[in-house]
Amino acid sequence: IIRMATVVGLVDLLATAVAVPLAVIGVSGALSDSVVSGLFEITIGTELCASAGAPLMQRVAMAGAIIAWSGLSVHGQVASVVHDTDIRIGPYLLARLARAVLAFVYTMLLWNVSGGLLGATLPVLFSAVPAATPSFVLQRMAFAGIRALGFLGITLVLSAIVVGLCKIRRGCCG
């Protein structure tokens, strides 16, 4: 369907419309094709996102949003599974949309913060295979562990804020 929509020019038309709100929030219009494709299908959207002529931070954030959204093709599959149940698809779709927005926002916010707060970064793949010495293994474990604890700490703080706000809203504070 995406290929047919691309051939007839529908994707270009929608991408032009999507480029305007992207520009308003400071995101490159080069990502508009990937947003439109990602709305329908996760794989094509992320592939277009990866090859777009946009800054890396924006491509990663948009790919995260597309993955969090999952595409209407996945939502159609979910709808077919829950069709004969009392589960409503509307809240599911709203949750996926919120998840996509949060994935984009968190990536944009944490992109530069993580390197500054948690130290330098290392490449994921080495061009040469390092020696598997005990000190290298321990160093890599410490590197990953510190970052995992940092993100866990951020998540716990954000969770505590949300719980606190919910209690204040409900008047449960004592």
Side-chain angles (χ1 to χ4, degrees), residues 33-102:
D33 284 344
S34 63
V35 171
V36 171
S37 296
L39 176 68
F40 296 100
E41 212 282 320
I42 185 173
T43 307
I44 295 170
T46 52
E47 182 180 351
L48 288 174
C49 193
S51 63
L56 179 62
M57 176 176 65
Q58 292 180 9
R59 288 186 291 155
V60 170
M62 192 59 71
I66 291 169
I67 292 167
W69 168 250
S70 299
L72 290 175
S73 62
V74 170
H75 301 322
Q77 294 172 30
V78 171
S80 71
V81 168
V82 300
H83 179 332
D84 292 331
T85 68
D86 59 348
I87 300 172
R88 296 180 308 148
I89 198 73
Y92 167 78
L93 290 174
L94 287 175
R96 295 305 274 206
L97 179 62
R99 188 173 146 173
V101 169
L102 289 174

Side-chain angles (χ1 to χ4, degrees), residues 130-146:
T133 62
S135 65
F136 174 78
V137 172
L138 290 174
Q139 188 178 22
R140 290 296 287 183
M141 288 176 63
F143 179 83
I146 289 170

Side-chain angles (χ1 to χ4, degrees), residues 121-128 130 136 140 143:
T121 59
L122 291 176
V124 175
L125 302 173
F126 290 105
S127 57
F136 174 78
R140 290 296 287 183
F143 179 83

